[in-house]
């Protein structure tokens, strides 16, 4: 599990590093308002994917292990994807244009979103196709192909996006270039047994995919709506430049944390599914306990570390027009990413593995409601920082509620002894990082990053968290 997890994390971290470079470089090539339009385009993609496609990918992951040898399974999955594209083509432009008219009634009048929608909707199809092709590699336990897929995509986005920004200084060609890159990468790594022949479509399998996924569709829709409402409320109440600041801060503070969580989740979820399919409850509990410990050991120090070095990164990396607003946002957003990441990549798995996805719907509804209410209350008072505070509070609320609700579905064990050791190691790291907080010099940043990692690793080893000393002895013994 450690090897595959490491590859999956690298499959996210390395390409995400390229995405980070792309996002930060764009702050030097686009005005805050143009960057805000770029952020709104990405928001539309996340929203449409959450409503139409994310449940489909999750259903595929849940049923692949039991249907890998069924010759009609993958054609059914692919043809269902095409039907979802058609449904989104019919519904999305109408809904988003109506929403724009409503926003106009509250102060955003005069803004035309038709070009943005025309670019973002096909972009969503490209994004969703890439994610489906990537999930195929994960389900088949092919981490290296998953790595090369993500690396190819982000290299192409870096090249296309920066070239478009340099040539036109407009968000629209940047978005279009990124979406073309996604489609090209998805098509380079083909899905096996792909067929659009109607006779290969299995209605019963499609029904099973939907029966599992309908609640997940609502879950993803609510989660995506919460993500989108943040941006559109900023657009309506403050302005497009506020969306630009928030998007830049997200790239700076949350990209690495989300990447780590998703990388671990990619590796551990398929292993948990395999354990559940085996019917061995002991094996399930052992696997889930390892999953939670690994996620906590990487996600918590990443979140605390990012909160403490992100203000420095803002001073060093983003364009001059962005520095002040982004520096004020980053710590809040980094801490909020921990609660959201632990819930999404561990606690939420209880409802998927236990086929009780309606329970996850309740969790998401509570989280989204808290987030939207706090947005409405805090944005007028604190501006763009109010969104970051709302995300932190709603993320913590959602994680706590998910932990409580999961008990009725499937036990989600946590090795509390190791968790305590991890917390102590993170505290030691935070104490080391404290003197570096907010410093704008590159040597201080390097000392904070490398020194903090060294302190955390040494503390874990001293406390023997996760039997780390035993693992190292066994690994070293292989080379002796």
């Amino acid at each position: 599990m450690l090897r595959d997890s490491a590859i999956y994390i690298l499959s996210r971290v390395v390409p995400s590093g390229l995405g980070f470079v792309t996002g930060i470089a764009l702050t030097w090539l686009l005005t805050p308002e143009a960057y805000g339009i770029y952020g709104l385009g990405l928001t539309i993609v996340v929203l449409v994917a959450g409503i139409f496609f994310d449940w489909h990918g999750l259903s595929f992951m849940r049923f692949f292990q039991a249907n890998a040898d069924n010759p009609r399974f993958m054609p059914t999955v692919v043809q269902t994807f095409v039907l979802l594209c058609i449904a989104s083509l019919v519904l999305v432009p109408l809904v988003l244009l109506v929403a724009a008219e409503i926003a106009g009634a509250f102060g955003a009048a005069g803004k035309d979103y038709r070009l943005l929608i025309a670019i973002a909707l096909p972009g969503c199809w490209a994004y969703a196709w890439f994610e489906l092709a990537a999930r195929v590699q994960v389900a088949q336990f092919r981490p290296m192909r998953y790595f090369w897929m993500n690396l190819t995509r982000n290299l192409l986005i870096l090249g296309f996006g920066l070239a478009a920004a340099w040539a036109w200084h407009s968000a629209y060609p940047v978005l279009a270039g990124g979406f073309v890159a996604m489609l090209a990468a998805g098509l380079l790594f083909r899905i096996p047994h792909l067929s659009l022949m109607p006779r290969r479509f299995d209605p019963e399998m499609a029904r099973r995919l939907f029966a599992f996924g309908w609640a997940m569709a609502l879950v993803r829709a609510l989660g995506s709506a919460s993500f989108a409402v943040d941006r559109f409320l900023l657009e309506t109440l403050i302005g497009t430049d506020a969306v630009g600041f928030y998007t830049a801060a997200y790239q700076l503070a949350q990209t690495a944390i989300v990447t780590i969580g998703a990388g671990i989740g990619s590796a551990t979820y398929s292993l948990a599914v395999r354990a559940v399919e085996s019917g061995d409850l002991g094996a399930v509990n052992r696997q889930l306990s390892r999953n939670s410990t690994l996620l906590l050991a990487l996600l918590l120090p990443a979140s605390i570390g990012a909160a403490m070095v992100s203000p420095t990164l803002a001073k060093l990396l983003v364009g001059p027009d962005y520095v002040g607003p982004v520096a004020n946002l980053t710590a809040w957003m980094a801490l909020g990413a921990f609660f959201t990441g632990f819930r999404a990549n561990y606690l939420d798995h209880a409802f998927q593995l236990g086929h009780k996805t309606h329970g996850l719907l309740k969790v998401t509804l509570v989280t989204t409601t808290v987030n939207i209410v706090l947005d409405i209350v805090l944005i007028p008072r604190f501006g763009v920082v109010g969104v970051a505070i709302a995300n932190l509070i709603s993320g913590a609320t959602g994680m706590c509620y998910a932990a409580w609700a999961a008990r009725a579905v499937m036990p989600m064990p946590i090795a509390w002894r190791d968790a305590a050791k991890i917390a102590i190691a993170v505290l030691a790291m935070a104490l080391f990082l404290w003197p570096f907080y907010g410093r704008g010099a590159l040597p201080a940043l390097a000392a904070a990053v490398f020194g903090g990692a060294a302190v955390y690793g040494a503390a874990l080893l001293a406390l023997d968290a996760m039997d780390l000393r035993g693992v190292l002895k066994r690994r070293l013994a292989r080379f002796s």
Side-chain angles (χ1 to χ4, degrees), residues 328-373:
N328 291 334
L329 285 165
T330 49
W332 293 102
M333 295 179 72
L335 294 174
F338 167 74
F339 298 110
T340 302
F342 191 79
R343 197 207 89 190
N345 294 291
Y346 182 63
L347 296 173
D348 286 2
H349 291 176
F351 306 98
Q352 299 173 41
L353 296 170
H355 287 263
K356 301 290 186 182
T357 50
H358 61 276
L360 183 53
L361 179 59
K362 295 178 183 177
V363 172
T364 308
L365 182 61
V366 169
T367 306
T368 301
T369 301
V370 172
N371 187 62
I372 293 174
V373 170

Side-chain angles (χ1 to χ4, degrees), residues 373-384:
V373 170
L374 289 174
D375 277 344
I376 294 171
V377 172
L378 297 177
I379 289 176
R381 182 165 183 172
F382 298 103
V384 67

Side-chain angles (χ1 to χ4, degrees), residues 374-444:
L374 289 174
D375 277 344
I376 294 171
V377 172
L378 297 177
I379 289 176
R381 182 165 183 172
F382 298 103
V384 67
V385 176
V387 177
I389 298 173
N391 286 343
L392 172 61
I393 297 173
S394 63
T397 302
M399 188 191 75
C400 294
Y401 183 64
W404 177 81
R407 297 183 305 168
V409 178
M410 173 178 286
M412 298 298 286
I414 294 175
W416 291 107
R417 187 180 182 87
D418 278 331
K421 293 178 180 179
I422 291 167
I424 293 171
V426 169
L427 178 60
M429 180 194 74
L431 291 174
F432 173 83
L433 292 175
W434 183 257
F436 297 97
Y437 184 80
R439 292 192 179 182
L442 186 59

Side-chain angles (χ1 to χ4, degrees), residues 58-81:
L58 291 170
S59 295
F60 160 77
M61 290 293 291
R62 184 62 185 86
F63 289 103
F64 177 83
Q65 299 299 330
N67 295 276
D69 297 326
N70 183 346
R72 299 179 70 186
F73 177 70
M74 284 308 304
T76 301
V77 169
V78 171
Q79 292 179 47
T80 305
F81 177 88

Side-chain angles (χ1 to χ4, degrees), residues 42 66-67 90 134 145 178 231 234 250 273 340 345 354 363 405 409 434 465:
L42 297 180
N67 295 276
V90 173
R145 283 181 65 87
R231 278 72 175 173
L234 283 174
Y250 182 89
V273 170
T340 302
N345 294 291
V363 172
V409 178
W434 183 257

